[in-house]
Amino acid sequence: MSWSSASRRIAVVGAGAAGTLTVVQLLRQAEKARRTVEIWLVDPAEAAGPGVAYGTGDPRHLLNVPAGKMSAFPDDPGHFLRWLTGRNPHAAAGEFVPRQEYGRYLAEVLEDTVRECRGGRLHRVRERVVAVREQGAGTVLRLANGDELRVDAAVLALGNFRPGQDWAGTELRASGHFVADPWAPGALDALDRAGDVLLVGTGLTMADVALTLARPDRVVHAVSRHGLVPQEHLADPAPPAKPPRLDGSHGLDTLRRDVRRHLAATRRACGDWRPGMDGLRAVTATLWQQLSAADRARFLTEDLRAWEVHRHRIAPRTAATIRALRASGRLLTGAAEVVYAVPHHGVVVVRLSDGRTLRVGAVVNCTGAQTDLRRTGDPLVRCLLDRGHARTGPAGLGFDTSGDGRLLPADGAPALRLWTIGAARRGNLLESTAIPEIRAQAAQVADRVLTALAGRRVSGPRDRYGLRLSTGAEAAGLYGQALERILAGRSGAAALLGEAVDADPGFAVGHATLALLGHECGGAVDVPAALASAHRAASRRADERERSLVAAVDARLRGTEEQGKAALLGHIAAHPRDALAVSAAVPTVSFNGVTGAEEAWALIEGLSGVYRQDWWYLGQLAFVRQEQERWQEADALAVRALAAHPAAGHAVHARAHVFYETGEHRAGLAWLEEWMGRHGAGAGHHSHLSWHAALHELTLEDRSALLRRYDRELVASQVSGGRLLVDSASLLWRARMTGSWSGRLPLAELLEAAPRDWLEAPATGFAALHAALAWAAAGDLEGLGRLRAHALADGREVFALVIAPLCDALTAVVRRNWPQAVLRLGPLLPLVARVGASRAQHEVVEETLLYALVSGGAYERAAGLLAARLDRRPSPLDRRRLDALGGPPAPPAPRDRATALSVR
């Protein structure tokens, strides 16, 4: 295997443990792949490796993890221990060694790697990065001295930011008696002559600072809101205890209960809770991501401190020293906050919230790292947030990142080649500061950076799956953004494609994709013109794959149903990495598709070896699994996809169905509300997710919330295209069938705005189903008649077997001919799935049958239908309706009975 001649330029910002391990992984992986790289390690610190965490010179500051678990390499767990025994033959895996030793280890690992890797060069820049900007396909870093560094990609290993100090007050901060950051070089040196000292904060930093400052003639006071101090490691711990299946999507209260049960069970089995706590490490990030935004905020307020003192424990020797200091009265800890702290005649007078007044020689800020990046003064962070190149993470912690650590830009900002690692990922992972997490992230980020840069160096532009694009860099970049939005179910793809073909009128794939979107989604796209442009461009400048795609799109848009299907599936068989074609073949919220249920399942499942862990593919597979009623698998896949791409629309859609079909209506509604609050504005199917949320509200019988949602999100002014029928009109009909809407249904404005071809001559059974519901909701028998005539003339089986009989059934409902309605609706239940709608969508036919049964007095049959539904899925609405049918009724008029069932 020969060496690549093109050198990649990569910056790593931050020379602590995270940055050092990232450089090491970049060099090692590039060497293995025989790629040449130049790396700039940028940090004002004198040495690379130790950073703040392992730069302490006090030998009493010990690692909080035993040596056997501190290897720099996830694939070589014994590496640090071997290094340690080379210096001290008596070192043991369970030993907690001084942190400064680990700093030396990291520095040597870096030196050895640089020496051993022939294809990599490391440049050390002792300066601070203060800004970043895009330049072409690269990134420019501006340094504090005014110099600029242009690279192909950058990894931000920024470490922990200095603790906040607003609590200290201006007067104390300006005095010489306040230590704002105890880890700043020499910060504690001036306290040698001070008397008693107050430490604000009682966590890991407090433990180290107390060891440094303790002396026989001094009392060290330590306070925090909770007064909790870190628990200790056992000298001979049991292995981690694997927890039972935990699920954060059921809410914090349920998760809290299940975790406590797990810890209690571990204590009974092992005699101690610590193995149970250690067993949670592997699932912490998943559980955190499953919690709603409100529950994450509650966890940070109600549980974080207790979690941290049990999760991040101190070495046994450190714990013994802390106990001795407390027993002797030289360390006093308590739960209190600083009310005020005022320098006065050489000391600081401190008033605490527990009523005590202290006179101390100094106050040390041990409150821990600042995690809300909006409150830091770091100029690089401010630049990233202000320019939209990054956004804050969930719960306001760190940056928001994809699953591989790439920074997610604010909507509309360019996505730079920027990754981050370590503490900055706490918002997405919660636990992201210990070496076992850091080393895994470093390996993953290095792989993704090198893979991304390798894709740039091949001949000519490529899409995100490596497929060649016969166009220039500008059009390819716009197409790449459009494809990302299509795959994520985001809006704005058509406009980007329009810009792409304007930049390069000879871009065949751009024209073909624009035509496909215009056909599927409507909008201001001249589909015939776009298709003609695609053919002209393909005849002049396209490879075999691009010409095949244009032909498949043409067959899909202009051929028969079977021709379109055969062409699209044939193209996918030859080019399985063409994700656009796969998307177009599978019925989703974005595309009508050409495959039925089992056929679509087989197509997606057969591509697992092609796409593996790709976020778009995981979302598609999640939707398949929910259609197969494999709810837990579907949910897990959707969560993984969303961890990699939080705005992944197909994963969101799959998870929305899982919540509904499993009867988790409150949890599903809360989760959808949270997601739409963060990402809904750019969702291409925002109205459909609003429809999903409205279904939960309807099922929970929250009528006022349902009406508010319709007025806010589903009126004609907020929805466009076929969604006016699929989401808005169908919801109105279902609301009428369940009695959740009284008075006139606002159908006139929907019908006025809806596409005429959807109403009068729908091209698919799916469109025809929703057109029929809209005409029925409007009470328009003529519209239903025209649609029936179109269905009979169409000739396709689904129109003859489903749509025409449905028009007859709905006509009977509008005319209140209940026996005829029941007669025609019953046989449709097993057939309606043929239109391609989801289970939740074609359930509206069952709702209509229920309404007709009750209105016609067929109470026993209605009760049987409701009971069967409740066996399948919990529903407060169905439960109440079944209860209303349970007793022998005094014979009311059928219409009155229907009203009693439908309205609270």
Side-chain angles (χ1 to χ4, degrees), residues 744-774:
R744 185 188 69 87
L745 293 176
L747 260 298
E749 48 265 45
L750 296 180
L751 295 177
E752 178 71 23
R756 298 317 300 173
D757 57 333
W758 274 65
L759 286 168
E760 302 291 350
T764 65
F766 177 80
L769 166 69
H770 291 94
L773 296 175

Side-chain angles (χ1 to χ4, degrees), residues 85-384:
T85 54
R87 301 167 65 90
N88 175 11
H90 302 293
E95 185 177 352
F96 294 82
V97 302
R99 292 217 300 274
Q100 60 186 1
E101 284 295 293
Y102 195 74
R104 295 189 186 104
Y105 164 70
L106 290 174
E108 286 193 24
V109 166
L110 179 61
E111 292 169 6
D112 292 345
T113 303
V114 171
R115 184 174 60 254
E116 294 165 2
C117 293
R118 295 175 300 150
R121 292 181 59 194
L122 178 64
H123 308 273
R124 183 70 171 87
V125 180
R126 290 187 55 197
E127 191 51 85
R128 186 178 302 279
V129 178
V130 296
V132 62
R133 61 182 171 83
E134 182 183 28
Q135 186 177 80
T139 300
V140 176
L141 307 179
R142 182 160 58 83
L143 309 181
N145 64 5
D147 291 344
E148 290 190 337
L149 175 62
R150 187 185 183 283
V151 293
D152 298 311
V155 180
L156 308 182
L158 306 179
N160 288 314
F161 288 96
R162 294 179 61 181
Q165 46 186 295
D166 293 345
W167 59 268
T170 304
E171 196 170 356
L172 175 61
R173 295 201 303 269
S175 74
H177 301 281
F178 180 61
V179 177
D181 182 4
W183 299 118
L188 302 178
D189 295 348
L191 303 188
D192 287 345
R193 294 181 299 277
D196 294 349
V197 176
L198 171 64
L199 312 184
V200 179
T202 58
L204 296 175
T205 298
M206 178 279 294
D208 286 331
V209 173
L211 295 183
T212 297
L213 297 181
R215 66 188 193 199
D217 61 341
R218 168 183 285 163
V219 175
V220 177
H221 301 270
V223 299
S224 67
R225 285 186 296 115
H226 302 284
L228 299 174
V229 299
Q231 296 285 317
E232 66 179 285
H233 284 284
L234 297 181
D236 186 21
K242 184 178 180 180
R245 188 179 185 279
L246 302 172
D247 191 342
S249 65
H250 297 309
L252 179 60
D253 294 329
T254 300
L255 179 61
R256 188 187 284 149
R257 180 200 64 207
D258 292 344
V259 167
R260 287 171 177 165
R261 287 177 177 172
H262 164 60
L263 296 178
T266 305
R267 187 183 295 110
R268 290 192 298 271
C270 305
D272 189 70
W273 53 267
R274 289 168 180 80
M277 198 72 186
D278 295 340
L280 295 172
R281 187 170 198 159
V283 298
T284 298
T286 298
L287 295 175
W288 173 250
Q289 290 159 5
Q290 289 173 338
L291 290 174
S292 68
D295 277 343
R296 289 178 189 170
R298 284 181 58 210
F299 176 86
L300 296 180
T301 302
E302 301 171 10
D303 302 284
L304 180 63
R305 189 67 189 123
W307 168 268
E308 287 182 332
V309 300
H310 289 84
R311 168 69 182 83
H312 301 289
R313 304 188 289 275
I314 55 179
R317 185 164 21 132
T318 301
T321 305
I322 293 294
R323 280 197 300 273
L325 289 173
R326 295 174 76 180
S328 68
R330 291 159 58 197
L331 173 62
L332 302 177
T333 63
E337 296 182 76
V338 174
V339 177
Y340 64 78
V342 181
H344 182 70
H345 296 304
V347 298
V348 180
V349 179
V350 183
R351 179 73 170 175
L352 299 175
S353 60
D354 62 4
R356 288 184 292 157
T357 300
L358 306 178
R359 295 172 66 85
V360 296
V363 177
V364 183
N365 186 7
C366 300
T367 55
Q370 177 64 262
T371 57
D372 184 348
L373 301 189
R374 294 166 296 189
R375 303 179 65 181
T376 71
D378 186 274
L380 174 58
V381 171
R382 293 285 1 134
C383 170
L384 290 167

Side-chain angles (χ1 to χ4, degrees), residues 331-488:
L331 173 62
L332 302 177
T333 63
E337 296 182 76
V338 174
V339 177
Y340 64 78
V342 181
H344 182 70
H345 296 304
V347 298
V348 180
V349 179
V350 183
R351 179 73 170 175
L352 299 175
S353 60
D354 62 4
R356 288 184 292 157
T357 300
L358 306 178
R359 295 172 66 85
V360 296
V363 177
V364 183
N365 186 7
C366 300
T367 55
Q370 177 64 262
T371 57
D372 184 348
L373 301 189
R374 294 166 296 189
R375 303 179 65 181
T376 71
D378 186 274
L380 174 58
V381 171
R382 293 285 1 134
C383 170
L384 290 167
L385 294 176
D386 291 346
R387 295 185 183 179
H389 297 312
R391 61 193 185 208
T392 54
L397 303 178
F399 290 121
D400 200 3
T401 67
S402 64
D404 64 356
R406 190 166 182 176
L407 291 185
L408 295 175
D411 287 345
L416 302 187
R417 292 181 181 271
L418 295 174
W419 282 258
T420 193
I421 181 174
R425 297 187 65 189
R426 285 193 69 189
N428 296 100
L429 304 175
L430 185 63
E431 293 287 342
S432 187
T433 57
I435 287 297
E437 282 78 33
I438 296 296
R439 68 191 178 202
Q441 291 179 25
Q444 182 189 38
V445 164
D447 173 72
R448 296 304 171 87
V449 169
L450 292 172
T451 299
L453 297 185
R456 288 185 60 240
R457 300 291 177 168
V458 294
S459 176
R462 305 260 165 166
D463 73 7
R464 71 189 306 272
Y465 295 105
L467 299 177
R468 182 175 177 271
L469 299 172
S470 298
T471 188
E474 181 182 0
L478 290 164
Y479 175 81
Q481 294 178 52
L483 181 61
E484 181 95 359
R485 296 195 182 196
I486 292 170
L487 299 182

Side-chain angles (χ1 to χ4, degrees), residues 544-545 547-549 551-553 555-556 561-578 581-582 585 594-595 599 603 607:
E544 185 277 330
R545 195 273 309 183
R547 290 193 297 273
S548 174
L549 177 65
V553 171
R556 175 75 181 91
E561 185 174 354
E562 287 305 315
Q563 289 171 337
K565 177 178 177 179
L568 203 51
L569 294 182
H571 174 80
I572 294 168
H575 307 282
R577 292 191 66 79
D578 196 333
V582 177
V594 297
T595 51
E599 197 173 18
L603 174 62
L607 293 171

Side-chain angles (χ1 to χ4, degrees), residues 660-663 665 843 869-875 878:
Y660 183 73
E661 297 297 347
T662 57
H665 300 295
E843 191 178 69
R869 282 160 60 113
L870 285 166
D871 284 343
R872 187 176 78 235
R873 178 187 65 242
S875 164
D878 286 352

